[in-house]
Amino acid sequence: SGKTLWFPRPDTGPVVPPDTRFNIKSERRPDAPPPIRSTARAFRVVVPPTIDGTHAINEWPNWIPERALSLGRLFGPEAHRGCLGEAYVLFDEHALYIAVRLLAAPAKLGQTWGTHDGIEVDFQSIDNGFYGAKYVLHGFPNGAFESVTEAGATPVQAKELGDAVSFAANATDTGWTCELRIPLSAVGIDLGTLEKLRLNLGAYQAGNGIDGWHAWIRTKGEKGGVNHDLAHAGDLLFRPVCPAETPNLLTSGHFNGKDLTPWSNGSWRLG
């Protein structure tokens, strides 16, 4: 028919550029599934922890590295190669419980986020495709706490949540710990049916400039974004319910280990 058929050699690839009709200029194909989001699990607890800033033995059952949310450095060549600390999340029918332990002593005490050492909790509900307000909580090693509006929650919403949250912290020469009790019913979220929350956690270490910023998820952009950019953060899963007291069935990440007790043996350390 006079028409030349083109069969590129598989060992050398095509000599001519491919048909430009098939070039996709967008980041994803129009029919591509949504990007995979990082996830963590909130574990159902029978006896809720006491919110006093100190992590007592067995108060946070089976807190092991594989269940924890690591807070990695956000910027610079060492980004996410080490971490400042980690968090663990529990829940019951009444509230969400978050514990954070940080492996550096507070460098500067106070209650101004971005100036003094502190932690941040950001979350947003999802209900049948509808997104709730984005809430931002800050806690500091001196025990100060605030619920702010910088992510879009109204002053009334932020105050209602802040008035309901319990926070406590404890600082030493080697690090500091804190605990939060967040009754989600204060902002209209039912823990009895909740499937997941959009979530991010952050920490700031004063005195280290840009290297002081840490988070569970580094949000969009080469230089990162704000922690409360929850569209590019992670998901905290509540269903199916997983009891915190139930041990993990793997040991040290291996299926062929003789000991089928949980991973944690007290020998690990962050950093």
Side-chain angles (χ1 to χ4, degrees):
S1 62
K3 184 177 180 179
T4 302
L5 299 178
W6 174 251
F7 296 97
R9 288 177 54 187
D11 58 335
T12 61
V15 177
V16 297
D19 193 325
T20 57
R21 292 176 300 172
F22 299 101
N23 288 346
I24 302 297
K25 296 182 180 181
S26 61
E27 294 182 1
R28 297 186 297 114
R29 300 193 319 273
D31 60 341
I36 297 174
R37 293 170 60 86
S38 297
T39 61
R41 179 166 293 282
F43 293 87
R44 180 70 159 79
V45 67
V46 174
V47 179
T50 301
I51 306 303
D52 56 9
T54 302
H55 305 156
I57 297 176
N58 297 326
E59 190 176 46
W60 298 83
N62 285 320
W63 183 344
I64 56 177
E66 289 73 21
R67 293 186 177 187
L69 287 68
S70 296
L71 303 177
R73 186 178 297 154
L74 291 180
F75 304 105
E78 298 298 316
H80 276 291
R81 293 187 181 180
C83 57
L84 180 63
E86 65 175 19
Y88 188 40
V89 184
L90 304 176
F91 77 101
D92 61 15
E93 66 271 24
H94 302 295
L96 185 69
Y97 305 92
I98 300 177
V100 183
R101 55 188 176 203
L102 301 167
L103 298 177
K108 191 174 184 181
L109 294 178
Q111 55 191 60
T112 302
W113 178 246
T115 299
H116 305 111
D117 287 66
I119 61 98
E120 179 174 284
V121 177
D122 313 283
F123 69 90
Q124 180 184 37
S125 64
I126 305 174
D127 185 10
N128 292 322
F130 294 94
Y131 298 93
K134 290 191 287 187
Y135 293 94
V136 179
L137 306 174
H138 293 146
F140 303 90
N142 65 355
F145 165 81
E146 64 180 0
S147 175
V148 298
T149 60
E150 62 186 60
T154 67
V156 172
Q157 289 173 324
K159 184 178 187 306
E160 288 177 343
L161 178 62
D163 289 345
V165 170
S166 300
F167 174 82
N170 181 54
T172 69
D173 293 336
T174 58
W176 66 283
T177 56
C178 65
E179 299 172 328
L180 300 97
R181 180 184 185 271
I182 307 173
L184 295 180
S185 59
V187 291
I189 300 174
D190 182 4
L191 275 164
T193 59
L194 183 64
E195 296 284 339
K196 65 181 178 180
L197 285 176
R198 283 181 164 184
L199 179 79
N200 205 0
L201 301 174
Y204 181 69
Q205 184 181 21
N208 286 331
I210 198 170
D211 291 334
W213 294 103
H214 298 72
W216 174 44
I217 302 295
R218 177 178 177 176
T219 55
K220 191 176 182 179
E222 293 183 359
K223 296 183 178 180
V226 292
N227 292 337
H228 57 72
D229 178 11
L230 296 175
H232 300 96
D235 291 330
L236 182 67
L237 307 180
F238 294 82
R239 301 293 185 276
V241 173
C242 183
E245 293 79 8
T246 302
N248 286 52
L249 296 179
L250 299 181
T251 174
S252 302
H254 298 294
F255 289 93
N256 58 353
K258 295 180 180 180
D259 181 8
L260 295 181
T261 57
W263 275 300
S264 181
N265 59 11
S267 63
W268 63 275
R269 178 175 173 81
L270 298 173

